[in-house]
Amino acid sequence: MHAKVIPLSVPELREACSQCNLRELCLPMGLSDGELDQLDHLVEVRRRVQRGQHLYRGGDPFEAIFAIKTGFFKTDVLLEDGRDQVTGFQMAGEILGMDGIGSEKHTCNAVALEDSEVCIIPFAELESFSREISALQHHFHKMMSREIVRDHGVMMLLGVMRAEERLAAFLLNLSQRFTARGYSPTEFNLRMTRGEIGSYLGLKLETVSRAFSRFNEEGLISVHQKHIQIRDAAGLKKLLSERRA
Amino acid sequence: MHAKVIPLSVPELREACSQCNLRELCLPMGLSDGELDQLDHLVEVRRRVQRGQHLYRGGDPFEAIFAIKTGFFKTDVLLEDGRDQVTGFQMAGEILGMDGIGSEKHTCNAVALEDSEVCIIPFAELESFSREISALQHHFHKMMSREIVRDHGVMMLLGVMRAEERLAAFLLNLSQRFTARGYSPTEFNLRMTRGEIGSYLGLKLETVSRAFSRFNEEGLISVHQKHIQIRDAAGLKKLLSERRA
DNA sequence: GGACCACGTTGACGCAGATCAAAGCCCCTG
DNA sequence: CAGGGGCTTTGATCTGCGTCAACGTGGTCC
């Protein structure tokens, strides 16, 4: 799929949460200035991950969670027989690695879909800080809980929706997340391939491609390769709420 | 589906975690005797839930999580159009309600599939105790993380597996959880209907029924209504690991 | 700038599972 | 013990998506 194992320097940089423009989306959300100063000592090391590189792999020992500073990731799980399932796409301000806490090993792979930068949050220290800063503790619990709710949404998508509904839900979700980050709600570039979208949505890449074409013909969106423009968000939403039988 | 809204007394009982025979599976796992004594003050109230009754509903304010003391639950999410997806089946020692932390509202319904009893764990107090007992804090994080990993497993199931693989995975999972609770690994009664299994597995009830019949014919299991006997666990596992194309 | 390669699109066809329909079983209630 | 309702089974048919195959496209490397 991507390059074997490129030996690569991953410079580790320092920057404080208190100056980060993602702090309203990310772990420090809702902390007071004083608490933010404390957090700066916890989350001070960053790491670059090149496009195609793994941030971690299933089975790696779990030591830290990661906050995405810039870039875009996918997470996936492999079955022994080679089949795999993309479990999510993550963008700036989102947290990676919480699946590893339970078993002290990462349980999925995290791969950068574009050159990215993550903040390293050593987990033992996060727990220790959480015991002192209850706002941090509570916010961390919320983030884990939201991950569970998000997964339920995907289960719903995979369990009950038809192909076009799944793709519509996917596009609306992306649009909403880009909006929260200050980007256009209606125009963006996909970072993932049709195959990766398909894996996430439980569809084959041909089906994803056909659904894109169909949305295009119907004037719901325009697609050119990875460039998407949403022309009729209401129409996409209607697809979701319409019972089919 | 079940009785409208039976006004029902839900006696609230008291019993300590330290005497609970589920403590090795449940929240108190790994706590020292001294820590267990503290926990007893947190988790001391129980609640009965009759078969068919909701423990909570989507939208209810979130105040506590629940540990199942006895009984069996399902959780499900509803789409506006009436379609619904069962997101999980929970048995004794498992925790319900962690999906509500993020939004301060429950995001799914929890329904008892048999007369059940749950321990009420007020969430604000759990967080407060977690700040004092790091083993409790860490264990709670593990439970949330495992919930995420479990959901990834379901996504895999829904995203890549064929009908019979899904059912085999489901049966093996149940068997393993019954075993952990000291019941027979090979013989048990299903608490849910074919329709509920289907909703969980992303299949229609007829497909579930046919798959059961097929497993029966092939000698993998024997089924009589809700009674299941696993005759060839290895055969079921083989179904899972065999690539299909 | 030509050739390669990964990715994407489109068409033809097949099949797993959905849908529709009918009947059987189990348990409850009167 | 008769009747009814919920659940399950089984059969016949339909269909959405998968599969297979061919071709298009854009980006990159020499």
Side-chain angles (χ1 to χ4, degrees), chain A residues 5-207:
Chain A
V5 173
I6 299 168
L8 170 85
S9 64
V10 282
E12 300 202 331
L13 311 162
R14 285 158 187 278
E15 186 186 336
C17 288
S18 52
Q19 276 121 301
C20 179
N21 58 15
L22 284 168
R23 65 182 177 282
E24 289 307 318
L25 280 172
C26 189
L27 194 64
M29 202 199 83
L31 297 198
S32 70
D33 288 353
E35 290 165 340
L36 257 181
D37 284 346
Q38 289 188 260
L39 192 65
D40 283 346
H41 297 288
L42 166 61
V43 185
E44 55 177 7
V45 178
R46 290 190 288 159
R47 179 173 146 196
R48 289 196 214 281
V49 189
Q50 286 194 337
R51 180 184 148 94
Q53 287 255 314
H54 280 76
L55 173 60
Y56 54 80
R57 289 166 195 272
D60 286 356
F62 170 79
E63 280 149 12
I65 60 175
F66 305 94
I68 303 175
K69 176 96 180 130
T70 62
F72 207 96
F73 285 82
K74 71 167 178 183
T75 46
D76 61 8
V77 195
L78 268 88
L79 227 53
E80 324 75 64
D81 60 20
R83 287 180 287 182
D84 75 325
Q85 167 80 25
V86 170
T87 53
F89 298 107
Q90 296 80 17
M91 54 178 79
E94 295 175 340
I95 302 288
L96 278 165
M98 295 188 293
D99 54 274
I101 302 167
S103 56
E104 284 155 28
K105 286 193 170 93
H106 287 288
T107 62
C108 60
N109 304 296
V111 184
L113 296 182
E114 58 184 37
D115 291 354
S116 302
E117 221 168 271
V118 299
C119 306
I120 301 175
I121 307 169
F123 189 65
E125 292 176 43
L126 174 62
E127 286 194 329
S128 150
F129 271 67
S130 286
R131 270 177 261 130
E132 277 155 40
I133 310 174
S134 72
L136 175 64
Q137 177 198 38
H138 190 58
H139 185 60
F140 175 62
H141 291 162
K142 285 190 167 195
M143 297 200 91
M144 290 206 86
S145 171
R146 287 198 202 108
E147 179 89 7
I148 292 170
V149 174
R150 197 190 63 76
D151 290 345
H152 288 176
V154 179
M155 287 167 58
M156 180 113 226
L157 192 137
L158 293 171
V160 307
M161 291 188 189
R162 346 182 57 261
E164 293 190 359
E165 292 177 298
R166 294 182 201 190
L167 190 64
F170 173 71
L171 290 173
L172 291 169
N173 174 265
L174 275 187
S175 157
Q176 177 242 303
R177 285 154 74 199
F178 280 125
T179 308
R181 281 155 189 80
Y183 300 109
S184 166
T186 55
E187 209 166 345
F188 47 84
N189 284 307
L190 298 174
R191 270 72 173 188
M192 68 295 280
T193 66
R194 302 290 189 264
E196 286 163 338
I197 297 171
S199 169
Y200 180 63
L201 299 178
L203 302 169
K204 293 294 153 182
L205 65 92
E206 294 93 332
T207 305

Side-chain angles (χ1 to χ4, degrees), chain B:
Chain B
M1 207 55 53
H2 42 263
K4 301 289 173 293
V5 174
I6 299 168
L8 170 84
S9 65
V10 281
E12 300 202 332
L13 311 162
R14 286 157 189 278
E15 186 186 336
C17 286
S18 51
Q19 276 122 299
C20 178
N21 59 14
L22 284 168
R23 66 183 177 281
E24 289 306 318
L25 279 172
C26 190
L27 196 63
M29 202 200 84
L31 298 197
S32 71
D33 288 353
E35 291 164 339
L36 257 181
D37 284 346
Q38 289 187 260
L39 192 65
D40 283 346
H41 297 287
L42 166 62
V43 184
E44 54 176 8
V45 179
R46 290 189 288 159
R47 180 174 145 194
R48 290 196 214 281
V49 190
Q50 286 195 336
R51 179 183 148 94
Q53 287 255 314
H54 281 76
L55 174 59
Y56 55 80
R57 288 166 197 272
D60 286 356
F62 170 79
E63 281 150 12
I65 59 175
F66 304 93
I68 304 174
K69 175 99 180 130
T70 61
F72 207 96
F73 285 82
K74 71 166 178 183
T75 46
D76 61 9
V77 195
L78 268 88
L79 227 52
E80 321 77 65
D81 60 20
R83 288 180 287 182
D84 76 325
Q85 167 79 24
V86 171
T87 54
F89 297 107
Q90 296 80 19
M91 54 177 80
E94 296 175 338
I95 302 288
L96 277 165
M98 295 188 292
D99 54 273
I101 302 166
S103 57
E104 283 154 30
K105 286 194 172 91
H106 288 288
T107 61
C108 60
N109 304 297
V111 184
L113 296 183
E114 59 184 35
D115 291 354
S116 301
E117 221 169 87
V118 299
C119 304
I120 300 174
I121 306 169
F123 190 65
E125 292 177 42
L126 175 62
E127 286 193 330
S128 151
F129 271 67
S130 285
R131 271 178 260 129
E132 277 156 40
I133 309 175
S134 72
L136 175 64
Q137 177 197 38
H138 190 59
H139 185 61
F140 174 62
H141 291 162
K142 285 189 167 195
M143 298 199 91
M144 291 207 86
S145 171
R146 287 199 202 108
E147 179 89 8
I148 292 170
V149 173
R150 198 191 61 76
D151 290 345
H152 289 176
V154 179
M155 287 168 59
M156 181 112 226
L157 191 137
L158 294 170
V160 307
M161 289 188 190
R162 336 177 69 263
E164 294 191 358
E165 293 177 298
R166 295 182 200 189
L167 189 65
F170 173 71
L171 290 173
L172 291 169
N173 175 265
L174 275 187
S175 158
Q176 177 243 303
R177 285 154 74 200
F178 280 125
T179 308
R181 281 154 189 81
Y183 300 109
S184 167
T186 54
E187 210 166 345
F188 47 84
N189 284 307
L190 298 173
R191 271 73 173 187
M192 68 295 280
T193 67
R194 301 290 189 262
E196 286 163 338
I197 297 172
S199 170
Y200 180 63
L201 300 179
L203 302 170
K204 294 294 155 183
L205 66 91
E206 295 93 331
T207 305
V208 173
S209 177
R210 276 185 247 269
F212 270 130
S213 302
R214 192 127 196 284
F215 286 175
N216 198 27
E217 284 161 27
E218 288 169 353
L220 294 168
I221 62 174
S222 43
V223 211
H224 297 102
Q225 301 295 122
K226 295 207 154 66
H227 184 82
I228 300 287
Q229 189 177 355
I230 296 181
R231 297 195 163 282
D232 180 6
L236 288 174
K237 283 187 196 108
K238 200 149 69 76
L239 263 182
L240 289 184
S241 52
E242 263 167 11
R243 196 112 193 57
R244 73 197 194 80

